[in-house]
Amino acid sequence: MEKINVGGQAVIEGVMMRAPRSVAIAVRRPNGEIVVKRELVVPLSERYPVVKLPIVRGAVALFSSLVIGIKALNFSANESMSEEEKEGDKDKGKGELSSWAMAGTMTVAFGFGICLFFLFPLYLTKLMTPYIGTNNIVFNLVDGVIRVIVFLLYIWGISRMGDIQRVFQYHGAEHKSIFAFEAGEELKVENVRRHSRLHPRCGTSFLLIVMLVSIAVFSLVPKLWPFYLKAGSRVVLLPLIAGISYEFLKWSAKNDGHPLVKLIIAPGLALQRLTTREPDDQQLEVAIRSINEALEVNAGYSDDRLVV
């Protein structure tokens, strides 16, 4: 089969893998069984050629990843429960989210991220204006530093949660299995286990790049704008920031052997030490099953790299 590029995401007791034309989610049930959900996906670039354009493809990838990721989490949350827990949820009227509930969940998640990582730092910086002055460069630099600090504290905070630890183990399993696939090795536990859990195309690295790129982009916002316009610009400019960050991530992944690039991507890899953990063999089995299922559905289709 022609070599393709694969990305993925850790979910509850499982791993979601994406190939250019497919999505596969593998989840281990409480009884030890691995259940899989597979789906053939038609790339948006086939229907809308504009999606292939640099910058635009990054913004689309961010939204697409959010949609697919929430669907995968919903599936994994349901399948990782015991039968007794499922019956209890049915009695309470719970189950897999409807399309409207999914849209609501996405809106809340997106809104929370905007408020926490963009509007909250902006508001704190505004309060500090009497101390830092009104220079536009200084204002946006302080805003950016606060944004990065909030992001790092958030990552550190969730990494201390017990339930998240297992998700981070599956995150490590996802990276290891993708590394083994990219190396052309047979996808079996003993081969996958020896690879690194830190991957240059990880979504964690992508988010850190977004935080840093936003400092430069937001510096273009006039300093005389009132607070509400500055806050609105944070939302309007986010697709542009995501697009630039995506292009940088693609470039760095293709040139990660260069000493300078290694230095540039080092902070993102270091941050992955918080968001990944060493997986056990059973978790590696789930990741391997997921990537194999995605590759089978994909049927050899090749396209641009995806974020891991």
Side-chain angles (χ1 to χ4, degrees):
M1 183 179 68
E2 181 183 358
K3 186 173 181 180
I4 61 173
N5 297 293
V6 178
Q9 173 185 317
V11 294
I12 301 170
E13 291 301 323
V15 173
M16 179 272 289
M17 290 289 187
R18 291 180 60 189
R21 269 190 182 273
S22 63
V23 174
I25 313 163
V27 178
R28 191 178 292 279
R29 287 174 170 166
N31 62 6
E33 175 191 3
I34 298 177
V35 61
V36 177
K37 180 179 181 180
R38 316 188 324 171
E39 184 179 357
L40 183 66
V41 178
V42 178
L44 285 174
S45 58
E46 289 190 7
R47 289 178 285 177
Y48 310 103
V50 68
V51 174
K52 295 181 180 181
L53 295 176
I55 308 297
V56 174
R57 59 188 176 186
V60 173
L62 176 65
F63 180 76
S64 175
S65 296
L66 182 61
V67 173
I68 294 174
I70 290 179
K71 287 182 178 180
L73 284 169
N74 182 37
F75 173 79
S76 67
N78 187 61
E79 293 298 332
S80 63
M81 292 190 298
S82 65
E83 293 302 320
E84 292 77 11
E85 290 173 318
K86 287 183 182 180
E87 289 300 323
D89 275 357
K90 286 181 180 179
D91 293 340
K92 296 176 183 178
K94 298 179 180 179
E96 290 205 34
L97 298 177
S98 66
S99 297
W100 282 105
M102 189 78 67
T105 301
M106 287 177 53
T107 301
V108 171
F110 189 73
F112 174 78
I114 291 292
C115 290
L116 180 61
F117 301 123
F118 293 96
L119 301 187
F120 177 63
L122 176 63
Y123 181 71
L124 288 183
T125 307
K126 179 179 178 294
L127 295 179
M128 296 173 63
T129 300
Y131 308 100
I132 63 176
T134 57
N135 182 278
N136 201 41
I137 295 177
V138 174
F139 183 92
N140 284 287
L141 183 60
V142 172
D143 176 37
V145 169
I146 294 175
R147 186 179 309 114
V148 171
I149 291 174
V150 170
F151 174 67
L152 295 177
L153 287 175
Y154 175 80
I155 294 295
W156 178 83
I158 65 173
S159 71
R160 311 294 292 179
M161 300 169 61
D163 291 343
I164 297 298
Q165 294 290 329
R166 285 194 61 80
V167 175
F168 285 174
Q169 284 182 286
Y170 278 107
H171 192 188
E174 173 219 331
H175 285 183
K176 285 173 175 280
S177 59
I178 290 176
F179 263 131
F181 169 71
E182 291 174 338
E185 299 177 1
E186 182 181 357
L187 293 176
K188 53 185 182 180
V189 171
E190 52 266 37
N191 289 342
V192 172
R193 188 194 301 120
R194 62 186 180 81
H195 284 278
S196 172
R197 72 176 200 266
L198 312 179
H199 199 288
R201 286 189 288 113
C202 176
T204 304
S205 297
F206 174 73
L207 291 176
L208 180 59
I209 294 169
V210 166
M211 296 296 125
L212 298 175
V213 169
S214 66
I215 298 176
V217 173
F218 291 153
S219 67
L220 302 177
V221 177
K223 65 179 181 180
L224 297 179
W225 279 13
F227 177 79
Y228 73 92
L229 284 180
K230 288 184 177 179
S233 70
R234 269 38 179 179
V235 179
V236 173
L237 292 173
L238 187 56
L240 173 62
I241 293 168
I244 295 172
S245 302
Y246 182 83
E247 298 304 323
F248 177 82
L249 190 70
K250 282 170 60 66
W251 171 82
S252 63
K254 291 179 180 179
N255 300 277
D256 58 2
H258 192 281
L260 179 59
V261 176
K262 285 184 177 181
L263 183 63
I264 293 173
I265 67 176
L269 294 176
L271 188 58
Q272 289 179 47
R273 295 188 180 278
L274 285 179
T275 63
T276 62
R277 295 288 185 273
E278 285 296 330
D280 59 33
D281 287 354
Q282 287 194 329
Q283 290 166 327
L284 291 174
E285 288 175 359
V286 173
I288 291 170
R289 177 71 179 276
S290 181
I291 193 171
N292 279 331
E293 296 281 352
L295 293 173
E296 182 177 329
V297 175
N298 191 76
Y301 183 82
S302 181
D303 202 352
D304 286 342
R305 292 188 173 213
L306 298 168
V307 175
V308 177

